[in-house]
Amino acid sequence: MIIFFRKIRQKMLTENKFSKYLLYAIGEIVLVVIGILIALWINNWNNQRLADNQTTNFLKNIKEDLVSDTLEFDLRIDFYKEFIAEKKKLLSLSSYEKINTDSLSVLISATYALYEINNTTFTKVTNLGISKLSENDELSKKIYNYYTIELKTFSEYINWEKEATGYEGRYWSNFQNEYEFIIDENDEFPKFQDSITNRQNLIKLITEPKGRNQILLDYYRKKRILAKYQEMKKISSELINEIVIGLNTN
């Protein structure tokens, strides 16, 4: 093709047809420019297609991360509901004489069920400098809010629960000097209190103001942690639905 155009150009020059040659030269330049523009358009189109595929894959992976979150939230919600219900039942009693020692020990059990939000995919997105995950600006904003604002607040709740429960565990096992813990009923270590005295000391521990306050603080904190897990499940579930709609409309 290049040789063909070159021959035409040479023929025009030898025949002294300058005006026709000028028009031809302009036409040739136009064709070159059009070719370049087409090549750029194809390159841009291909780059955009690759970028769209990448963001689509990220959205799908974020959806899977959110599904994982909701399943884990469900487990923690079940745990805290059961734990709170048991403590509420025991706290509502005015006498513990008819409650067995194992049940009473629930009141001083320092336990929690923590979870860290799965932000694996979002971390990859931020490391790549991607600021928009969807043509739907509102959806992109909600995703970024979930992994920044919501994650930060949720982490603060989790750290609060971890630190406070840790303190309570140390209080019941180390700071009080009345109830002798029985770690394993089958151990062969000597007991320095008989079971009746130990039980009476446990009842004293959980009915006096200092011990009662520890139990109440734990109970009300657990309720707030439960509410936070429920809130996070609601947010993540709604976000999953919006991502599914966004993927189906692309």
Side-chain angles (χ1 to χ4, degrees):
M1 182 65 72
I2 294 174
I3 296 174
F4 173 74
F5 282 127
R6 187 181 297 161
K7 286 183 178 179
I8 293 175
R9 186 166 58 247
Q10 288 174 346
K11 183 178 180 182
M12 287 181 175
L13 287 172
T14 54
E15 293 177 359
N16 201 22
K17 296 178 179 179
F18 180 76
S19 59
K20 289 184 178 180
Y21 172 74
L22 184 60
L23 289 173
Y24 168 80
I26 293 171
E28 190 174 350
I29 292 171
V30 170
L31 287 175
V32 171
V33 171
I34 290 173
I36 292 172
L37 291 175
I38 291 173
L40 288 173
W41 179 83
I42 292 173
N43 185 61
N44 290 337
W45 174 82
N46 189 53
N47 288 339
Q48 186 60 48
R49 181 179 61 84
L50 293 174
D52 290 343
N53 288 340
Q54 185 184 48
T55 54
T56 297
N57 288 333
F58 278 138
L59 273 179
K60 289 178 179 178
N61 290 336
I62 284 176
K63 180 178 77 69
E64 294 304 314
D65 291 347
L66 289 167
V67 169
S68 173
D69 283 345
T70 55
L71 292 174
E72 294 294 337
F73 291 151
D74 272 334
L75 293 175
R76 272 68 180 179
I77 288 169
D78 290 343
F79 167 83
Y80 279 101
K81 279 184 175 180
E82 183 178 346
F83 191 80
I84 290 167
E86 187 65 21
K87 280 209 170 188
K88 183 178 181 180
K89 181 176 71 175
L90 291 168
L91 283 167
S92 300
L93 298 175
S94 58
S95 173
Y96 295 121
E97 298 304 323
K98 296 182 180 180
I99 307 298
N100 65 56
T101 305
D102 287 342
S103 295
L104 284 179
S105 65
V106 171
L107 284 173
I108 62 170
S109 58
T111 184
Y112 50 70
L114 306 184
Y115 177 64
E116 292 184 6
I117 288 175
N118 184 358
N119 63 342
T120 305
T121 303
F122 185 76
T123 300
K124 292 179 182 177
V125 169
T126 53
N127 287 341
L128 289 172
I130 298 173
S131 58
K132 189 175 181 180
L133 282 165
S134 171
E135 292 301 316
N136 183 339
D137 291 336
E138 189 63 25
L139 176 56
S140 290
K141 182 180 178 181
K142 287 182 178 180
I143 291 172
Y144 275 85
N145 283 347
Y146 179 82
Y147 288 106
T148 53
I149 298 172
E150 298 296 346
L151 185 148
K152 182 176 183 294
T153 304
F154 177 72
S155 297
E156 289 172 352
Y157 269 80
I158 294 303
N159 289 334
W160 173 44
E161 164 75 333
K162 184 177 180 180
E163 291 173 7
T165 304
Y167 170 80
E168 286 165 2
R170 291 189 295 275
Y171 172 79
W172 295 121
S173 60
N174 300 333
F175 303 156
Q176 58 86 20
N177 191 34
E178 295 165 3
Y179 175 65
E180 184 179 1
F181 271 77
I182 301 171
I183 307 300
D184 186 350
E185 292 284 352
N186 299 316
D187 66 40
E188 299 177 354
F189 302 127
K191 305 295 188 297
F192 292 92
Q193 289 187 140
D194 61 78
S195 59
I196 295 175
T197 303
N198 205 40
R199 173 183 167 78
Q200 290 173 342
N201 284 337
L202 173 58
I203 293 174
K204 178 184 177 185
L205 189 66
I206 62 180
T207 54
E208 290 186 342
K210 189 173 182 180
R212 191 77 172 175
N213 288 342
Q214 289 293 333
I215 295 168
L216 288 170
L217 286 171
D218 182 50
Y219 172 76
Y220 285 109
R221 187 181 65 256
K222 291 289 191 290
K223 289 185 69 174
R224 291 185 65 182
I225 298 299
L226 170 61
K228 192 61 184 178
Y229 272 120
Q230 291 171 325
E231 179 189 359
M232 292 303 294
K233 183 192 172 183
K234 182 176 181 292
I235 294 171
S236 59
S237 297
E238 291 175 350
L239 198 48
I240 289 170
N241 292 334
E242 292 190 37
I243 290 174
V244 170
I245 293 171
L247 289 171
N248 289 337
T249 56
N250 286 341

